[in-house]
């Protein structure tokens, strides 16, 4: 966050805290290791999204920061305070739960004011602060209602209100939008991100939805099986994934991943993708010298759906950077058209447990392309597909790590 | 279609009518008997209507004087009842209800305490007091233990928790008669030890109640309360556990994140959500303690509660005691009927699942 803004927020009484997770590990009594040496640092006022498939330990990480789970090893700091053994109530951390966890017997005002009441803040001051929070969240009309009388979105905002009214050092949010319907989710996504930027409170947000992660976070940390895969700004994560899992997990539709072989034929490089070959321009290898070590060996190649285009639409593409395909499914989305076809190359398992299994023959893989709406392809058409070879991603076949240098 | 649905509705209503008559008729019969003169009760051909009414039976059961206008007693009771109802209704509507409910309890207490000073009462009045003391104490102890144990067992999912629950259920399934003699002998052993060791006749400043010279367990209200709490505990624990399980764990965690200790979270967030459960479980416990016969009869040979007092009246053959027993039965039943009518909404809610879903 920009230093002048930090200073401004500090003047307004916002506690701008850094949060440091240093090799935090969680091992359950039954021996299951949920989190392995998670190290992350949140800057003052940063919005960090921890994203991963279901069961990857992201909620456990959040609950350890909250103090609802013990930290097996490693250190947790908020600012300069070491929090490992501090009770949840003394951590100065507010949390928004997936189920909202509103107190059903209390009105909205009482729900929001409850943290203040526990801090023995006078009734008058409490009412004032509850009113301020309610104004930010547009809940002033609802203050006297009970949670049962509210809609899902309103309940969600009450849960937010209970968190922001305290002006804590850190917000924790555990999939706060997953119980809302799709339209409301899009709106609340923007609302929460806006409120967070306005308040300037450091926020740790957990979700399984990569769209939420990309749109809301200043920085996104991808976690799988309790191990941090990559933490970077959304664009960096999208353009330069560190490994196959991140590449496949971030982005929708997912990146297409195949085993392919790069070889040099008569001074020109070409990528053998099943029974088809793509010409690879010299500069790709120039920018990734390490790729030369992989010549004539299978590598994992990744193609983003938007890096594929119908040759009939963009006809000035080099002819040797095209693939043949037969359209299997066509989804017209209006602004763009998704086209699915198969490629005769082995697919690669990214390790995402939520992803659909590849069907049928293991040497034939699906491919999803994002064509411009101008495409006229129909199901069953044999088409040529342009590949933007300069945007190909290469990974080691064994380690699944990106080949970038 | 239409015809069969009409028919089935008639059938349904007829069945309900039969069931209602079936359950209400004994009460009507008892009430009639309680306000009849002996000659009408003893008549060979039952006198169903047009008889002369009297409150003699009530007077004979409760009071030790013959020439008291029973209307004054009725007015006394009604005034107390109306004051309590008003206080209770205010208490339900205001923000801080505790003072009002406490006041209602206080009014009942004062009324019970003043009654023997206004009218000469029989032993049966002591039995009424015994009944109330036993019922209230059993409720308070059972609910306190049940709330804490039910909460613990709902949150703790280890194997020992399951063992405790199953053992509790097993004891609940055993008949009352299996416990009563062990309790009796146990209490007797303790009393013998108290007497032989001399501890029973020590001067304890706090237990130095007037009229109690020696400390003992048998034949005291304490014995009845202890026994009732023991047999009722499985029920309250299971009941509360099932309610606590429906309270999402996140609500407690949210309270803890909001700055509450575990105890504060329990007291200020969970307990207020549990009121329907507390009222329902409390009512069931109340019925159990108030209606108990066997334990009282065996563990307290002279410190009776009202059910035992009634039975002592039906043992005789004379018709005078029949009207008295009927009067006793009616006056014992009425307070319970009033309480059940006031709280029946909660009773039904307590039995239905999902009462506390957030």
């Amino acid at each position: 966050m920009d230093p002048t803004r930090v200073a401004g927020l500090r003047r307004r009484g916002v506690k701008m805290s850094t949060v440091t997770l240093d090799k935090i590990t969680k091992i359950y009594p039954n021996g299951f290791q949920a989190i392995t040496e998670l190290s992350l640092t949140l800057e003052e006022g940063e919005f960090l999204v921890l994203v991963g498939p279901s069961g990857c330990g992201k909620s456990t990480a959040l609950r350890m920061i909250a103090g609802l789970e013990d930290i097996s090893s490693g250190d947790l700091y908020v600012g300069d305070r070491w929090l490992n053994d501090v009770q949840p109530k003394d951590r100065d951390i507010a949390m928004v739960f997936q189920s909202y966890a509103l107190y059903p017997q209390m009105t909205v005002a009482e729900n929001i004011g409850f943290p203040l009441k526990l801090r023995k803040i006078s009734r008058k001051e409490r009412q004032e602060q509850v009113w301020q929070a309610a104004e930010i969240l547009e809940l002033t009309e609802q203050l006297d209602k009970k949670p049962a009388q509210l809609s899902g979105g309103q309940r969600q905002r009450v849960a937010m209100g209970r968190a922001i009214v305290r002006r804590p050092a850190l917000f924790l949010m555990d999939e706060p939008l997953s119980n809302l319907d799709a339209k409301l989710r899009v709106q609340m996504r923007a609302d929460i991100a806006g409120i967070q930027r306005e308040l300037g409170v450091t926020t740790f947000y957990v979700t399984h939805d990569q769209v939420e992660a990309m749109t809301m976070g200043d920085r996104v940390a991808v976690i799988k099986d309790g191990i941090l895969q990559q933490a970077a700004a959304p664009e960096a994560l999208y353009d330069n994934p560190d490994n196959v899992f991140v590449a496949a997990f971030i982005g929708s539709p997912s990146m297409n991943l195949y085993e392919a072989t790069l070889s040099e034929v008569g001074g020109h490089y070409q990528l053998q993708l099943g029974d088809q070959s793509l010409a690879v321009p010299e500069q790709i290898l120039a920018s990734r010298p390490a790729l030369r070590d992989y010549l004539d060996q299978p590598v994992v190649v990744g193609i983003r759906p938007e890096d594929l285009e119908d040759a009939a639409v963009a006809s000035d593409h080099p002819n040797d950077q095209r693939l043949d395909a037969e359209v299997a499914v066509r989804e017209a989305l209006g602004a763009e058209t998704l086209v699915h076809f198969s490629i005769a190359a082995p697919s690669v398992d990214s390790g995402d447990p939520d992803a659909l299994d590849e069907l049928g023959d293991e040497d034939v893989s699906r491919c999803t392309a994002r064509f411009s709406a101008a495409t006229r392809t129909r199901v069953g058409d044999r088409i040529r597909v342009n590949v933007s070879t300069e945007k190909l991603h290469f990974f080691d076949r064994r380690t699944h790590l990106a080949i970038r240098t | 279609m239409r015809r069969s649905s009409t028919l089935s509705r008639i059938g349904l209503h007829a069945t309900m009518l039969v069931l209602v008559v079936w359950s209400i008729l004994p009460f009507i019969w008892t009430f009639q008997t309680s306000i009849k003169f002996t000659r009408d009760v003893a008549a060979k051909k039952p006198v169903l209507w047009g008889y002369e009414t009297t409150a003699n039976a009530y007077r004979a059961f409760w009071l030790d004087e013959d020439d008291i206008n029973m209307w004054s007693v009725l007015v006394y009771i009604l005034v107390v009842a109306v004051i309590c109802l008003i206080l209770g209704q205010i208490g339900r509507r205001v923000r801080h209800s505790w003072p009002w409910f406490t006041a209602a309890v206080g009014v009942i207490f004062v009324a019970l305490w003043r009654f023997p000073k206004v009218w000469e009462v029989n032993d049966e009045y002591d039995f009424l007091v015994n009944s109330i003391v036993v019922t209230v104490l059993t409720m308070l102890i059972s609910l306190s233990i049940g709330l804490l144990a039910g909460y613990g067992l709902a949150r703790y999912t280890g194997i020992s928790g399951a063992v405790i629950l199953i053992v509790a259920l097993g004891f609940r399934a055993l008949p009352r008669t299996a416990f009563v003699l062990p309790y009796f002998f146990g209490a007797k052993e303790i009393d013998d030890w108290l007497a032989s060791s001399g501890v029973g006749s020590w001067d304890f400043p706090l237990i130095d109640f007037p009229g109690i010279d020696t400390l003992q367990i048998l034949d005291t209200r304490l014995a009845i309360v202890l026994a009732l709490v023991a047999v009722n505990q499985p029920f309250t624990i299971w009941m509360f556990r099932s309610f606590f399980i429906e309270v999402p764990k996140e609500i407690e965690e949210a309270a803890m994140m909001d700055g509450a200790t575990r105890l504060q979270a329990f007291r200020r967030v969970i307990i207020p959500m549990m009121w329907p459960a507390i009222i329902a479980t409390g009512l069931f416990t109340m019925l159990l303690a108030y209606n108990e016969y066997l334990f009282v009869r065996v563990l307290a040979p002279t410190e009776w509660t009202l059910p035992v007092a009634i039975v002592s009246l039906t043992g005789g053959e004379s018709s005078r005691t029949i009207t008295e027993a009927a009067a006793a039965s009616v006056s014992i039943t009425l307070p319970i009927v009033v309480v059940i009518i006031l709280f029946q909404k909660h009773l039904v809610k307590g039995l239905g699942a999902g009462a506390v879903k957030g």
Side-chain angles (χ1 to χ4, degrees), chain A residues 32 61 80 92 100 135 151 173 186 214 227 261-262 276 284 290 304-305 314 367 392 397 403-404:
Chain A
F32 175 67
D80 300 330
D92 197 18
Y100 317 139
E135 273 193 325
S151 69
M173 303 197 189
V186 174
M214 296 292 282
I227 298 168
T261 314
L262 194 63
Q276 309 196 46
I284 290 184
R304 291 257 179 227
C367 182
L392 290 176
R397 194 173 72 103
I403 305 165
R404 277 207 297 251

Side-chain angles (χ1 to χ4, degrees), chain B residues 44-91:
Chain B
K44 273 229 169 91
K45 188 163 166 272
V47 185
L48 291 180
W49 42 74
Y51 50 81
E52 203 182 337
T53 59
T54 173
N56 279 345
Y58 290 89
R59 177 161 39 222
F61 184 72
W62 291 109
L63 300 177
D64 199 20
E65 296 170 74
D66 290 337
D67 49 354
I68 287 171
N69 186 350
M70 287 306 279
W71 287 112
S72 59
V73 179
L74 187 65
V75 167
Y76 183 91
I77 295 170
L78 282 180
V79 166
V80 171
V82 167
I83 292 175
C84 287
L85 276 181
I86 291 173
L87 288 172
Q89 287 300 319
I90 296 175

Side-chain angles (χ1 to χ4, degrees), chain A residues 211-361:
Chain A
V211 180
E212 250 170 57
M214 296 292 282
T215 51
M216 297 175 81
D218 293 327
R219 210 148 51 97
V220 177
V222 183
I223 187 170
K224 179 195 159 219
D225 298 336
I227 298 168
L228 182 68
Q229 306 291 311
Q230 188 176 3
E235 302 79 18
L237 210 59
Y238 191 80
D239 294 336
N240 294 306
D242 273 353
N243 60 36
V244 170
F245 175 77
V246 175
F249 189 77
I250 299 293
S252 176
S254 286
M255 184 187 280
N256 303 296
L257 291 159
Y258 310 102
E259 268 184 30
T261 314
L262 194 63
S263 50
E264 189 178 356
V265 180
H268 296 285
Y269 295 100
Q270 68 176 32
L271 189 69
Q272 197 64 38
L273 196 59
D275 53 4
Q276 309 196 46
S277 61
L278 278 175
V280 177
E282 175 73 39
Q283 64 262 34
I284 290 184
L285 275 93
S287 64
R288 298 182 183 82
L291 210 49
R292 282 182 205 284
D293 301 339
Y294 291 87
L295 283 179
D296 299 319
Q297 289 175 38
V299 290
V300 175
V301 62
I303 314 170
R304 291 257 179 227
E306 61 270 31
D307 297 334
L308 297 169
E309 183 56 277
D310 186 358
V313 176
S315 50
D316 55 348
H317 199 76
N319 204 35
D320 55 0
Q321 294 180 22
R322 285 179 169 158
L323 294 171
D324 287 314
E326 185 182 336
V327 177
V329 178
R330 176 178 175 277
E331 300 173 276
L333 301 178
E336 63 202 25
T337 300
L338 298 183
V339 171
H340 302 255
F341 48 88
S342 22
I343 281 188
S347 67
V348 176
D349 179 15
S350 70
D352 180 356
D354 295 342
L356 289 172
D357 283 336
E358 285 287 342
L359 303 169
D361 195 344

Side-chain angles (χ1 to χ4, degrees), chain A residues 64-80:
Chain A
M64 281 196 286
I65 300 174
L68 299 171
E69 302 264 2
D70 292 333
I71 296 171
S72 305
S73 71
D75 299 295
L76 168 69
Y77 297 91
V78 172
D80 300 330

Side-chain angles (χ1 to χ4, degrees), chain B residues 62 105 108-109 111-113 124-140 221 224-225 228 285-286 289-291 304-307 331-332 335-336:
Chain B
W62 291 109
V105 172
I108 292 175
F109 182 80
L112 284 169
W113 171 57
E124 276 73 12
Y125 193 78
D126 291 341
F127 300 154
L128 170 71
V129 173
N130 281 353
S131 268
I132 293 173
V133 169
V134 164
T135 306
V136 170
L137 280 183
T138 307
M139 272 170 73
L140 286 180
R221 292 176 285 211
I224 307 171
V225 170
L228 285 177
T285 308
M286 180 188 80
Y290 194 80
N291 292 337
W304 291 351
T305 59
L306 288 172
S331 31
I332 291 169
I336 292 295

Side-chain angles (χ1 to χ4, degrees), chain A residues 63 66 68 88-89 93 95 97 99 101-106 110 114-115 117-119 123 162 166, chain B residues 95-96 248-251 253-261 264 268-270 272-273 356-358:
Chain A
R63 292 169 59 84
L68 299 171
K89 72 182 183 75
I93 293 174
M95 180 158 169
F97 290 81
S99 60
L102 302 181
Y103 312 127
Q105 76 278 14
M106 298 184 197
E110 287 167 334
F114 187 67
K117 202 171 176 183
L118 288 171
R119 279 168 187 72
R123 174 188 275 264
R162 211 166 51 182
R166 285 170 46 188
Chain B
R95 219 181 136 73
H96 296 286
K249 206 161 177 255
E250 286 91 50
I251 289 194
E253 291 175 345
M256 273 149 70
M257 295 307 298
D258 280 349
T261 59
Q264 275 177 321
R268 301 179 72 155
V269 175
I270 306 297
M273 289 173 70
V356 289
K357 267 247 165 80

